[in-house]
Amino acid sequence: MCGIVGFVSRSTPAVGPLVNGLRRLEYRGYDSAGVALEGTAGIKVYKQTGKVAELDKLLKSALKTEAESGEYAVGIAHTRWATHGLPTRANAHPHVADDGRLALVHNGIIENYAALRAGLEKRSIKFISQTDTEVLAHLIAAFDKGDFLAAVSQALKQVEGTYGIASISARHPGEMIVARKGSPLVIGLGEGETVVASDVSAIVARTRQVVYLKDGDIARITPEGVQIYSLDNAPVSRDVQQVDWDLGAIEKGGFEHFMLKEIHEQPDALRNTIRGRIDRQGATAILAGLNLSPRDLAAIRRLVVIGCGTSLHAGMVGKYLFESLADLPTSPEQAAEFRYSNPIVGPDDWAVALSQSGETADTLAAVRESIRKGALVSGLCNVVGSTIAREAGRGVYLHAGPEISVASTKAFTAQVTAMLLMALKMGRTRRLSHEEGVRIASEIERIPDLVADVIREEDEIARIAAKYAHADDMFFIGRGILYPAALEGALKIKEIAYVHAEGYQAAELKHGPIALLSAQTPVVALLADIPGKEKTVGNVQECRARQAPVVGVATKGDDDAAAQVDDVIFVPRTIPEISPIVSVVALQLFAYHVARLRGCEIDQPRNLAKSVTVE
Ligand code: M6R
């Protein structure tokens, strides 16, 4: 969603770091971009609809000489994903107040903006945009009596909703005020310069020393560093942390798209998820971050797995893992439904929140609700230091490395792998025998190689994708542990190839959707070797009887299944618990090649954002 970058230095021109930072945030999804620069001539604002490249062109023609851009060593920048008002230049951030002397960028939503705006309009303040953000710019200007930080604090106390903000003012040269509530902000501490961003990927090119702000923090940023306070002006101390990955991790490294790179990274990513976490002797998993003793685990009566989108699909796989390996009743919950349903959770329940970004607004709210209700809460996040990881207080990091492509790939396979480790650990405190534990643990160790085997099939998958790339409607079917994999296959192809796709439990087709099948509606059937596979093969026959062409994803060597479909993608033989991982990798490649052939913008699909920080 929206992205923020801020830069404060004594002498380095701000424009380069700001535009480069915005480029690093492009993957999050946006529809317009803008920059405000502060220098001896006051504040200058440049905004553009469309891509950051357009904004860069505008800046290059406006600041023709180095001397011109050198005048501005302080600045804020933003990529906007429209919520209030169309994606126009007027609605793009930064927004200004105080006759152009104050500029503000904002992520999040100000819920009481209409009432605040009406109040300001009564005081003859003129608005030029339809956004909620502009209200906050005018409020800060109205409260500014000489202390910039105090003015921002006072304005924020009027606001209901969520925000991550950065503001500069010509009345307070050389400083920037930032604050967060419900929308992440991280501060990078460089040599004679300080960088701010909503996402650490916009910072690592300049420094790896970072400070994560917490909700309720407000900070004064200068070239020398940061001073952090509460909204009531009490000084607050936050640890400086070292980012442990480098720029290479967020570059394409020779691949045409981040999505393809991330699909190919999966064997290594999963090795990192598993590394150091198998206890061979005990035939169990070592998950220190959970901080749960065998007694704690044994006392849990029910597991609630919470997430959105791909993370929800991984959570749905978790149901099969925990129920089969640990005899633990498990309910997957869509986070937005969960948070507003007055959920029945309590001290006997373990709520596990799945989130690649660790910032998804609904998942975060579900975590908070579960904590309020006394449940044991854990996060299963990829982004280290993310809000869900911190607020859950315990959990398992995926260690899959940065995921840049909007379409989630390696996070899904890492989430399923991490849950498998959790289910193994849980199972071994309950009914799972040592022998069974050994069997599961050794198969978990094979996951990276199994995934590499699927990736080796890419040419064949691309060939099959070419045969079906023209279709505008597709069905994905599976049952048991492969039912969520079918949902994930449908989601991938919807979001990156813009193909209308439905994911169904295979038996459910007959209860209505089969009416839509024809020679123009390919069906992708998940036929890897799991209990109930023969039933799905039966459902395939029903599809073919309606002339629908069928692509099967089947276990290598399963010639019977292969004989029942028009085209087959083979995945390696493994235990049922790992079948969603190998099947989904095949579906990721299938979706990728369909999207590529349809000429889609794969890494930044229309209307989508990488991290959904509004509800
Ligand atoms: O960061 P999260 O895992 O919490 O994100 C959840 C969803 O927004 C995300 O999985 C989304 O569905 C992806 N675009 C799927 O590819």
Side-chain angles (χ1 to χ4, degrees):
M1 301 214 122
C2 305
I4 289 178
V5 189
F7 183 81
V8 187
S9 155
R10 291 255 169 268
S11 52
T12 307
V15 66
L18 290 174
V19 173
N20 287 338
L22 288 185
R23 286 212 172 94
R24 300 273 177 215
L25 297 183
E26 284 196 284
Y27 76 96
R28 297 170 64 94
Y30 69 103
D31 40 50
S32 55
V35 161
L37 300 169
E38 182 233 300
T40 43
I43 286 186
K44 288 255 167 74
V45 176
Y46 304 92
K47 308 202 254 192
Q48 198 56 286
T49 53
K51 295 293 177 197
V52 171
E54 298 303 314
L55 176 69
D56 191 29
K57 269 190 225 154
L58 176 72
L59 286 162
K60 286 203 167 102
S61 73
L63 306 169
K64 285 199 189 67
T65 62
E66 271 195 32
E68 267 175 305
S69 55
E71 279 173 32
Y72 304 100
V74 175
I76 52 177
H78 192 259
T79 46
R80 174 175 186 253
W81 187 85
T83 56
H84 295 65
L86 294 172
T88 59
R89 193 185 284 207
N91 287 334
H93 300 210
H95 290 285
V96 295
D98 191 16
D99 295 325
R101 279 185 287 260
L102 182 137
L104 172 80
V105 291
H106 164 228
N107 287 356
I109 290 183
I110 295 172
E111 284 161 7
N112 59 338
Y113 85 101
L116 292 171
R117 179 170 173 148
L120 288 160
E121 279 172 337
K122 270 195 200 131
R123 290 154 61 186
S124 306
I125 288 174
K126 294 264 173 298
F127 281 77
I128 51 173
S129 79
Q130 300 155 301
T131 64
D132 51 337
T133 303
E134 194 181 350
V135 166
L136 187 52
H138 290 298
L139 273 181
I140 297 171
F143 282 116
D144 190 355
K145 304 285 178 270
D147 180 340
F148 195 17
L149 187 120
V152 178
S153 287
Q154 279 173 283
L156 290 175
K157 285 183 187 162
Q158 312 282 308
V159 158
E160 286 162 23
T162 55
Y163 53 78
I165 59 156
S167 185
I168 51 176
S169 162
R171 294 183 194 272
H172 308 279
E175 72 177 288
M176 175 184 302
I177 305 298
V178 302
R180 80 157 271 180
K181 183 179 157 212
S183 199
L185 271 189
V186 53
I187 298 161
L189 306 172
E191 292 284 314
E193 62 183 46
T194 310
V195 200
V196 176
S198 50
D199 179 328
V200 76
S201 59
I203 289 182
V204 280
R206 302 202 73 85
T207 175
R208 304 242 216 114
Q209 300 280 103
V210 299
V211 175
Y212 291 93
L213 290 190
K214 291 196 175 163
D215 276 356
D217 288 353
I218 179 166
R220 175 181 286 114
I221 310 287
T222 61
E224 286 72 40
V226 55
Q227 299 152 318
I228 309 175
Y229 302 87
S230 68
L231 278 192
D232 293 321
N233 208 25
V236 167
S237 142
R238 301 277 173 243
D239 294 341
V240 177
Q241 298 183 29
Q242 173 84 12
V243 179
D244 62 3
W245 45 269
D246 60 19
L247 218 50
I250 52 168
E251 285 175 347
K252 282 191 207 154
F255 285 91
E256 196 176 337
H257 296 99
F258 279 112
M259 182 180 178
L260 189 61
K261 177 186 175 228
E262 286 158 11
I263 292 173
H264 279 254
E265 274 171 356
Q266 288 178 106
D268 283 342
L270 297 172
R271 246 171 233 119
N272 289 337
T273 308
I274 298 164
R275 182 168 298 123
R277 286 174 164 170
I278 301 265
D279 165 8
R280 281 165 172 249
Q281 230 180 354
T284 184
I286 306 164
L287 296 165
L290 286 182
N291 199 15
L292 293 172
S293 68
R295 270 185 99 81
D296 295 332
L297 289 170
I300 294 166
R301 293 281 152 263
R302 186 177 67 124
L303 179 63
V304 182
V305 207
I306 306 161
C308 298
T310 291
S311 292
L312 173 63
H313 297 154
M316 291 172 75
V317 173
K319 174 180 169 66
Y320 297 88
L321 302 179
F322 285 99
E323 291 191 347
S324 76
L325 300 181
D327 291 338
L328 182 65
T330 303
S331 339
E333 299 277 351
Q334 202 284 340
E337 280 301 299
F338 180 85
R339 68 180 286 195
Y340 287 119
S341 63
N342 193 14
I344 305 170
V345 280
D348 290 343
D349 299 319
W350 187 15
V352 175
L354 272 67
S355 176
Q356 188 287 129
S357 61
E359 303 294 347
T360 299
D362 285 321
T363 312
L364 175 58
V367 163
R368 289 176 176 162
E369 184 65 9
S370 304
I371 292 173
R372 265 192 294 272
K373 293 208 151 136
L376 192 64
V377 179
S378 301
L380 209 70
C381 299
N382 193 33
V383 177
V384 175
S386 54
T387 311
I388 292 174
R390 282 191 280 110
E391 294 204 10
R394 62 176 87 227
V396 178
Y397 277 121
L398 303 179
H399 297 312
E403 193 180 69
I404 304 294
S405 165
V406 166
S408 190
T409 53
K410 58 182 179 172
F412 175 88
T413 49
Q415 282 166 337
V416 175
T417 303
M419 279 190 298
L420 196 45
L421 289 163
M422 288 164 72
L424 170 63
K425 186 176 171 72
M426 187 95 191
R428 290 287 293 125
T429 64
R430 296 174 171 230
R431 295 284 309 129
L432 201 69
S433 68
H434 185 273
E435 195 186 357
E436 272 295 277
V438 168
R439 188 179 68 85
I440 303 289
S442 29
E443 199 64 9
I444 293 176
E445 287 180 315
R446 287 183 67 221
I447 292 176
D449 294 337
L450 295 169
V451 168
D453 281 352
V454 183
I455 294 171
R456 274 192 280 278
E457 296 295 316
E458 181 171 1
D459 288 349
E460 178 60 4
I461 296 173
R463 187 191 66 75
I464 296 171
K467 219 170 134 186
Y468 297 98
H470 62 277
D472 287 325
D473 303 280
M474 287 191 197
F475 286 80
F476 288 72
I477 59 170
R479 65 175 61 219
I481 198 165
L482 291 175
Y483 164 43
L487 297 180
E488 178 58 11
L491 176 64
K492 284 286 90 77
I493 209 151
K494 273 185 259 214
E495 62 182 340
I496 61 162
Y498 311 145
V499 171
H500 163 238
E502 306 268 1
Y504 276 104
Q505 202 285 352
E508 189 65 19
L509 272 190
K510 283 197 289 290
H511 298 282
I514 203 165
L516 294 171
L517 291 193
S518 72
Q520 278 68 52
T521 52
V523 176
V524 179
L526 299 186
L527 300 173
D529 225 346
I530 61 161
K533 178 204 77 180
E534 320 71 48
K535 304 271 178 213
T536 312
V537 172
N539 302 128
V540 164
Q541 294 314 318
E542 292 156 7
C543 298
R544 294 187 80 198
R546 273 87 194 163
Q547 270 128 43
V550 177
V551 179
V553 179
T555 302
K556 212 170 271 176
D558 186 349
D559 296 334
D560 291 346
Q564 309 295 326
V565 296
D566 296 273
D567 288 282
V568 63
I569 298 171
F570 282 121
V571 292
R573 180 167 296 283
T574 181
I575 55 175
E577 287 80 0
I578 294 174
S579 62
I581 297 181
V582 289
S583 303
V584 164
V585 173
L587 298 182
Q588 293 166 353
L589 284 166
F590 180 73
Y592 173 82
H593 285 285
V594 169
R596 195 171 168 275
L597 290 162
R598 291 168 73 96
C600 299
E601 222 182 306
I602 292 177
D603 284 332
Q604 291 161 42
R606 67 185 179 212
N607 305 339
L608 295 185
K610 179 66 183 161
S611 171
V612 182
T613 49
V614 294
E615 50 177 300

